[in-house]
Amino acid sequence: METLKGTIIETIFRNDENGYTVALMETENGVITVTGVFSTDVSSETLEIFGKTVKHPKYGNQFKVEMYSTVLPSSINQIENYLGSGMIKGIGKYTAKKIVELFQEDTFDIIQKHPERLTEIEGIGEKKADMIAKSFSEQSDIKEVMMFLQSHEISTSFAVKIFKQYGKKTINLIKENPYRLSEDIFGIGFKLADKIATSLGVEKNSPFRISSGIKYMLADYAASGHTFVPYNMLLNSTIKLLEITLENAEDEIRNMAFTDKIHIETINNERVVYYIPYHMAEVNVCKELINLSRVDFNLNEEDASPFLLDVEEESLITLSEKQREAIIQSIINGVTVITGGPGTGKTTIILSIIKIFERMYKKVFLCAPTGRAAKRITESSGREAKTIHRMLEYAFGEDESSLAFNKNENSPLDCDVIIVDETSMVDILLMNNLLKAVKKGTRLILVGDVDQLPSVGAGNVLSDIINSNTIKTIRLDTIFRQSAGSMIVQNAHLINKGSMPVYNKKDTDFFFMRESSNQDIIGLIVDLYNARLPLKYNIDPIKDIQVLSPMKKGDVGVIELNKELQLAVNPPSKLKKEKFFGKYTFRVGDKVMQVKNNYQTEWKIHTENGNIVTGEGIYNGDIGYIIFIDEAEQEITIQFDDEKEVIYPFSQLDELILAYATTVHKSQGSEFPVIIMPVVWGPPMLLTRNLLYTAITRAKQLVVLVGIEKYLQDMIDNNKIDKRYSALDYRLSSTVATYSLLSEGIIEI
């Protein structure tokens, strides 16, 4: 194996996904071309490389790198180039020159051992000096970790995520339990973790491996919305995944059940398996809902009616019978569910309930699963609404990775009434945490549209509560006069009933534009977004128009649509800075979306009176706009819809995607003035009636569908809703039945 030492003077090509690089290296024998996989961008770095010289048929002699190590540069020019390469946070080319001019060959020693001396440079204060020293230290740590991960064939993009999660502890943690990668790192599946485990010597039939595989399968099913899995389904999936015997799999399932890692029970004559957190959540949600619903407030319809009349008179409205029933039941019951589609008066009901409880001197809390949904209810009610997480005062455990809430059974919410909007989006774990913080005697009012897509997380909470027939539920089915003129509202109800929508009527808000090829469909969507709709309706395309697609990938999927829309609306410019990361080029002015909950991200809001409000937490689905890219600091500044400004280090950009187009699932809980949606062929599991229904109900003013009518009909006809394995409805109905038998004396405990 040959060995060379030199400095990378130019990177000709680099693939950020797998680290493959073609670069020029200056050695003592001249400049050579090197190729190979490098865990980080090695521009301006001094390396010792190991490999062999090969002759490329087109490009001549090249050095194929098999292994390498980083060597800190020693000459003044090399030190300056290294510091000014952008790798060290807080140092650009100008600052690098100033530092090296002052400290010469001692520069690295100063940064590592005496960083306070950096303040001798004009423009560097104590805070910035500390940041430079930490960044320099991190570069050293990350190189060691990257070399370890690279030796196990982990791609650069995953290696960065792993280091970000574990930091200096990466190597020890992975050696201790390689399977934790599949649980902790988004995008790393069990098979990659298993490959690493094998290289570290874990045996195929190791109970440790089988246990990790079973946990992975249960987590995978939970990611698809299931709180439990039928026993035989889990068994077969585990055997297939691990390539083990039936006996090995059953032995470990029994062992895990015995040690309380999983729970096995029989539901509706079928043996099922729960991962413990989901079983505990489902059981507790059932218990708390029943306890809350059984509280007697000594009120009846006659007691509530005078309050109702006062609110009607004050608000100059006449409520329908269903609206009156919903409000009265919310007053006299401990738990009430109100469900209905768009235009059925849910907002009017919420506002009326709030006013009545305020007249009764009751404290009302308003909440919703997402920031956008909470903002909507704030605007419509004139009262503050919070996300459920914020209301419960989210916090972190001692390990700073597990999420917890300050509001719980030991410190309950101090209120008399809690109204939860967009309840269809609430999963079983979040509902459990919410109910733990609700003290007995508090009224709980759950509002939502049960016909929309279910929660992203595990469970089928709203649907299960309704289907159990144990909690008072009011279904709203009348479209009110103010909404009756909207074809969006009318068509939503038509689609929900299995009928084709009515479109292309003059001066209405619902259109279908026919195109037959995917290329023409994309072209028309871009034209509508960038020119035709903004011109006709005098709207801002980036802020007022949202393109939704059923699919993430494919010719008319979100990724491809975003590329085309970005090129049309916010093309490259010498006046706009940009940063390439993964699949995306992020550019100043781009519309972006946060794709994971990050409860620790700091934000600030500049108020009109000049004050600055700060806080923490950015959530999956939040949409913002890039306002600044700082190459020297390696940061991007995003301003979100609610005026929060967040600074993202380049290493955190995997939490962002372009958002000119987004999936229908990601749009849940949000509303936009205008929706454009392609209607094309796709997997039947995606092209469903409730997905189409959810998409068009995101629009407030205009819907434009573009594509082929046949597939619109196919979506409406496809009312197949993927079965979710959950048992909240079973638990509620069976528990209430047991209470009934006890109260009648038919059974005794």
Side-chain angles (χ1 to χ4, degrees):
M1 186 179 290
E2 300 174 53
T3 303
L4 290 173
K5 187 183 288 187
T7 302
I8 301 297
I9 57 174
E10 183 181 352
T11 299
I12 299 170
F13 171 79
R14 176 174 170 77
N15 184 327
D16 280 332
E17 285 297 299
N18 58 25
Y20 180 76
T21 301
V22 179
L24 298 179
M25 173 184 269
E26 185 175 39
T27 70
E28 59 183 15
N29 296 320
V31 176
I32 63 166
T33 301
V34 298
T35 65
V37 174
F38 292 86
S39 56
T40 58
D41 185 351
V42 290
S43 299
S44 302
E45 291 206 35
T46 300
L47 306 175
E48 185 172 14
I49 57 176
F50 308 87
K52 60 183 177 180
T53 302
V54 296
K55 188 166 185 177
H56 191 280
K58 184 176 180 180
Y59 299 110
N61 286 343
Q62 297 180 340
F63 192 92
K64 186 177 180 181
V65 179
E66 295 179 14
M67 293 178 62
Y68 74 96
S69 61
T70 305
V71 180
L72 283 178
S74 55
S75 74
I76 297 295
N77 286 339
Q78 289 175 338
I79 293 171
E80 184 179 325
N81 289 337
Y82 177 79
L83 290 181
S85 66
M87 293 178 62
I88 309 302
K89 190 175 179 181
I91 301 181
K93 290 182 179 179
Y94 176 78
T95 305
K97 185 177 182 64
K98 290 291 184 184
I99 292 173
V100 176
E101 279 180 355
L102 181 60
F103 299 120
Q104 301 289 306
E105 290 89 349
D106 296 330
T107 295
F108 290 144
D109 189 62
I110 293 294
I111 294 174
Q112 288 177 296
K113 299 176 182 177
H114 307 286
E116 69 280 357
R117 289 202 57 196
L118 291 172
T119 58
E120 296 173 26
I121 308 294
E122 186 179 355
I124 298 181
E126 289 183 11
K127 188 175 179 181
K128 190 169 184 178
D130 185 55
M131 178 178 67
I132 290 169
K134 285 181 179 176
S135 180
F136 188 88
S137 175
E138 283 173 4
Q139 285 299 318
S140 175
D141 294 335
I142 197 171
K143 285 184 178 69
E144 180 187 358
V145 169
M146 290 295 189
M147 292 291 285
F148 169 78
L149 297 174
Q150 181 183 298
S151 70
H152 293 287
E153 300 179 17
I154 296 176
S155 71
T156 306
S157 56
F158 279 139
V160 171
K161 286 184 179 182
I162 293 167
F163 181 79
K164 184 178 170 185
Q165 177 79 14
Y166 303 139
K168 294 180 181 180
K169 300 177 182 177
T170 298
I171 296 173
N172 288 336
L173 289 174
I174 291 176
K175 284 182 176 179
E176 179 185 303
N177 178 10
Y179 294 104
R180 67 183 301 152
L181 290 170
S182 62
E183 299 174 21
D184 297 344
I185 311 299
F186 178 74
I188 290 188
F190 178 84
K191 289 185 178 179
L192 178 55
D194 196 36
K195 184 179 178 182
I196 296 166
T198 300
S199 70
L200 291 171
V202 177
E203 295 292 333
K204 189 173 184 178
N205 291 328
S206 160
F208 177 66
R209 176 176 182 261
I210 298 172
S211 172
S212 296
I214 291 167
K215 284 199 292 184
Y216 169 76
M217 287 309 310
L218 288 170
D220 195 49
Y221 281 115
S224 297
H226 308 296
T227 59
F228 68 78
V229 189
Y231 181 89
N232 288 332
M233 184 183 291
L234 175 65
L235 197 61
N236 292 332
S237 299
T238 302
I239 291 169
K240 184 178 178 181
L241 175 74
L242 301 178
E243 298 178 340
I244 56 175
T245 65
L246 174 68
E247 184 181 5
N248 286 148
E250 288 201 301
D251 283 348
E252 192 54 37
I253 288 175
R254 280 194 295 270
N255 181 56
M256 292 176 73
F258 183 73
T259 55
D260 288 331
K261 292 176 182 175
I262 61 175
H263 173 80
I264 301 174
E265 69 175 289
T266 300
I267 294 175
N268 290 325
N269 299 316
E270 184 175 30
R271 201 175 182 202
V272 305
V273 183
Y274 281 87
Y275 194 27
I276 285 294
Y278 295 101
H279 178 257
M280 292 175 64
E282 202 171 80
V283 169
N284 192 61
V285 166
C286 172
K287 181 189 78 173
E288 295 299 335
L289 283 173
I290 290 174
N291 287 342
L292 289 170
S293 67
R294 289 168 65 85
V295 173
D296 185 358
F297 293 100
N298 294 315
L299 291 170
N300 56 36
E301 292 186 22
E302 289 184 9
D303 298 322
S305 291
F307 290 104
L308 202 58
L309 292 171
D310 286 346
V311 167
E312 283 184 298
E313 186 177 316
E314 177 192 307
S315 305
L316 302 176
I317 58 173
T318 301
L319 297 164
S320 71
E321 284 305 309
K322 275 286 178 72
Q323 286 180 310
R324 291 173 64 85
E325 182 189 3
I327 295 165
I328 288 172
Q329 295 301 325
S330 298
I331 295 169
I332 66 178
N333 287 306
V335 183
T336 309
V337 174
I338 303 169
T339 185
T344 55
K346 295 192 296 294
T347 301
T348 300
I349 290 170
I350 290 173
L351 187 55
S352 298
I353 290 171
I354 294 169
K355 288 179 178 178
I356 288 173
F357 280 122
E358 287 175 346
R359 285 172 178 266
M360 296 171 69
Y361 302 102
K362 303 292 185 184
K363 186 188 291 187
V364 180
F365 279 3
L366 300 174
C367 64
T370 67
R372 282 186 157 233
K375 185 179 179 183
R376 278 212 330 274
I377 193 172
T378 296
E379 291 169 348
S380 62
S381 68
R383 277 78 168 172
E384 182 187 21
K386 298 179 180 180
T387 62
I388 297 174
H389 285 86
R390 186 174 159 222
M391 183 178 73
L392 296 179
E393 298 178 8
Y394 56 83
F396 285 85
E398 292 180 3
D399 61 358
E400 296 187 357
S401 62
S402 57
L403 184 66
F405 296 95
N406 289 328
K407 291 298 178 184
N408 49 46
E409 59 269 43
N410 299 317
S411 177
L413 293 163
D414 181 22
C415 63
D416 304 297
V417 182
I418 297 173
I419 301 175
V420 185
D421 198 13
E422 296 285 1
T423 309
S424 63
M425 297 177 64
V426 180
D427 62 41
I428 194 70
L429 296 181
L430 184 56
M431 180 59 79
N432 182 37
N433 281 301
L434 171 61
L435 292 178
K436 283 196 289 187
V438 180
K439 62 178 185 278
K440 194 170 183 180
T442 301
R443 290 173 175 86
L444 179 67
I445 302 163
L446 305 175
V447 184
D449 186 348
V450 75
D451 294 314
Q452 286 187 24
L453 292 169
S455 61
V456 175
N460 214 9
V461 174
L462 182 61
S463 179
D464 278 358
I465 292 173
I466 293 171
N467 292 337
S468 73
N469 294 316
T470 59
I471 302 297
K472 186 64 182 179
T473 299
I474 295 88
R475 295 176 182 268
L476 308 171
D477 50 18
T478 302
I479 304 174
F480 287 92
R481 190 178 304 146
Q482 62 268 33
S483 299
S486 166
M487 293 309 301
I488 297 173
V489 173
Q490 292 188 48
N491 284 334
H493 289 270
L494 284 171
I495 289 167
N496 207 22
K497 293 173 183 176
S499 301
M500 280 287 279
V502 177
Y503 44 78
N504 296 351
K505 283 190 172 183
K506 188 178 179 182
D507 298 326
T508 57
D509 54 11
F510 201 105
F511 295 90
F512 191 100
M513 304 188 74
R514 300 170 183 85
E515 289 290 354
S516 57
S517 73
N518 286 350
Q519 187 175 354
D520 290 340
I521 289 169
I522 288 182
L524 180 52
I525 288 174
V526 171
D527 188 35
L528 287 166
Y529 188 98
N530 193 36
R532 292 168 64 171
L533 294 181
L535 185 63
K536 180 174 175 60
Y537 294 97
N538 191 29
I539 54 178
D540 179 338
I542 297 180
K543 295 198 172 181
D544 295 330
I545 303 176
Q546 185 61 51
V547 178
L548 299 180
S549 176
M551 285 110 20
K552 184 177 179 181
K553 298 178 180 178
D555 291 346
V556 197
V558 166
I559 294 172
E560 196 61 37
L561 283 166
N562 271 313
K563 287 179 183 176
E564 297 297 326
L565 291 165
Q566 182 191 44
L567 186 62
V569 180
N570 192 29
S573 167
K574 292 181 180 178
L575 302 177
K576 292 184 176 181
K577 290 185 177 180
E578 59 184 42
K579 168 65 179 174
F580 179 75
F581 187 91
K583 297 183 180 72
Y584 300 101
T585 297
F586 295 109
R587 189 172 297 127
V588 170
D590 275 337
K591 183 178 186 177
V592 294
M593 177 184 283
Q594 175 81 9
V595 293
K596 62 173 285 191
N597 290 330
N598 190 326
Y599 305 101
Q600 293 176 304
T601 293
E602 297 179 356
W603 51 259
K604 62 182 178 181
I605 296 176
H606 298 274
T607 63
E608 292 181 0
N609 59 11
N611 293 329
I612 296 178
V613 178
T614 61
E616 292 182 339
I618 296 294
Y619 306 105
N620 187 0
D622 285 352
I623 290 178
Y625 309 90
I626 297 177
I627 59 176
F628 188 64
I629 296 177
D630 190 329
E631 293 171 346
E633 302 287 347
Q634 301 180 58
E635 295 171 340
I636 289 183
T637 303
I638 312 288
Q639 184 173 59
F640 286 91
D641 276 345
D642 52 9
E643 307 304 320
K644 292 174 183 172
E645 280 189 18
V646 177
I647 294 175
Y648 285 78
F650 285 172
S651 61
Q652 198 178 322
L653 295 184
D654 61 331
E655 295 183 11
L656 294 172
I657 59 172
L658 292 177
Y660 300 101
T662 187
T663 61
V664 178
H665 284 84
K666 286 287 187 188
S667 73
Q668 282 181 270
S670 300
E671 281 188 345
F672 309 93
V674 179
I675 290 297
I676 304 174
M677 180 175 168
V679 180
V680 297
W681 180 89
M685 62 182 290
L686 290 178
L687 301 188
T688 63
R689 183 188 298 176
N690 70 334
L691 183 137
L692 176 62
Y693 174 82
T694 301
I696 68 171
T697 55
R698 301 307 90 209
K700 293 190 287 187
Q701 298 170 18
L702 181 68
V703 168
V704 183
L705 305 180
V706 180
I708 302 168
E709 285 169 300
K710 174 190 180 304
Y711 297 121
L712 179 63
Q713 182 70 65
D714 287 349
M715 290 182 81
I716 293 167
D717 291 342
N718 182 11
N719 197 31
K720 181 184 177 184
I721 298 173
D722 286 342
K723 178 176 175 56
R724 284 197 168 195
Y725 293 112
S726 62
L728 180 59
D729 53 350
Y730 165 83
R731 294 185 192 283
L732 284 166
S733 56
S734 58
T735 303
V736 168
T738 301
Y739 279 160
S740 177
L741 293 173
L742 282 169
S743 65
E744 293 173 14
I746 297 173
I747 62 171
E748 295 181 359
I749 294 180

